């Protein structure tokens, strides 16, 4: 497995992580790195066909955030989820509809790990089965889901603002 150290500026990070499964667009991966840094995530697990740094396309949208957020690569997404669990994280799939709780009503666990799936097919049934908690983002347009990087940003920010009060060392700048 490959690992990125996230050796940037030493800042306090939230007990928040994410698993990205089969995200095919390197630009989406870069955008997720940028939002992960902005929301204070501790770690990203990149799984399956999800691209890893260093890649020009990731850097173009991450703008250096790929050097700030620790990451790890696992070919098998279930192995990534188990690794997150072994580090104390509770997997929370971000998935439209179904048996998901609405983001507006969702109560975040103390150490969540957001799990996002492929841009076209979403979180696979096997991965959904591995996640006890599921959350969806309410929408009012014609499309049934947001772009994966946008969905990640919305969910990560909701989780971060819920976790921040219990993490006094974390500072949200305005």
């Amino acid at each position: 497995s490959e690992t990125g150290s996230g050796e940037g500026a030493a800042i306090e990070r939230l007990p928040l992580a994410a698993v990205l499964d089969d995200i095919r667009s390197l630009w989406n991966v870069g955008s997720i790195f940028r939002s992960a840094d902005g929301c204070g995530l501790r770690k990203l697990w990149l799984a399956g066909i999800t691209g890893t740094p260093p890649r020009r396309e990731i850097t173009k949208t991450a703008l250096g955030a790929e050097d700030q957020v620790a990451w790890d690569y696992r070919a098998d997404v279930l192995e990534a989820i188990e690794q997150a669990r072994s580090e104390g994280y509770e997997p929370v799939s971000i998935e439209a509809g179904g048996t998901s709780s609405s983001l507006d009503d969702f109560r975040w666990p103390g150490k969540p790990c957001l799990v996002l799936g492929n841009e076209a097919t979403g979180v696979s049934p096997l991965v959904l089965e591995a996640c006890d908690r599921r959350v969806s983002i309410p929408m009012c347009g014609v499309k049934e889901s947001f772009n994966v990087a946008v969905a990640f940003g919305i969910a990560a920010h909701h989780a971060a603002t819920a976790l921040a009060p219990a993490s006094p060392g974390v500072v949200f700048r305005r």
Side-chain angles (χ1 to χ4, degrees):
S1 79
E2 298 175 60
T3 301
S5 62
E7 295 174 359
I11 63 164
E12 185 74 24
R13 299 248 172 211
L14 290 166
L16 179 58
V19 171
L20 310 181
D21 182 31
D22 285 342
I23 307 297
R24 69 174 184 252
S25 165
L26 297 174
W27 292 279
N28 279 337
V29 174
S31 181
I32 290 170
F33 264 101
R34 180 129 181 235
S35 293
D37 179 55
C39 291
L41 268 77
R42 285 191 186 157
K43 186 170 188 176
L44 291 173
W45 277 273
L46 312 175
I49 64 166
T50 304
T52 62
R55 292 291 299 266
R56 180 182 52 80
E57 300 91 337
I58 292 173
T59 299
K60 183 171 179 65
T61 50
L63 296 176
E66 73 277 21
D67 297 326
Q68 306 302 318
V69 178
W71 61 271
D72 200 352
Y73 174 79
R74 294 283 189 268
D76 182 342
V77 66
L78 296 178
E79 187 180 309
I81 291 170
E82 283 310 309
Q83 179 67 43
R85 270 201 184 95
S86 76
E87 293 185 22
Y89 291 99
E90 293 184 50
V92 177
S93 67
I94 310 302
E95 183 64 4
T99 59
S100 300
S101 298
S102 170
L103 185 62
D104 296 331
D105 305 321
F106 189 70
R107 294 191 58 135
W108 292 98
K111 197 171 179 184
C113 179
L114 310 178
V115 179
L116 290 99
N118 178 270
E119 292 93 335
T121 58
V123 179
S124 74
L126 194 60
V127 172
L128 283 174
E129 198 174 296
C131 299
D132 293 333
R133 298 171 185 247
R134 300 175 185 179
V135 66
S136 63
I137 302 169
M139 297 188 59
C140 60
V142 174
K143 299 302 286 179
E144 294 183 12
S145 65
F146 285 102
N147 165 280
V148 68
V150 171
F152 171 81
I154 293 168
H157 195 269
H158 270 260
T161 56
L163 296 170
S167 302
V170 174
V171 177
F172 277 93
R173 296 180 309 279
R174 297 192 184 266

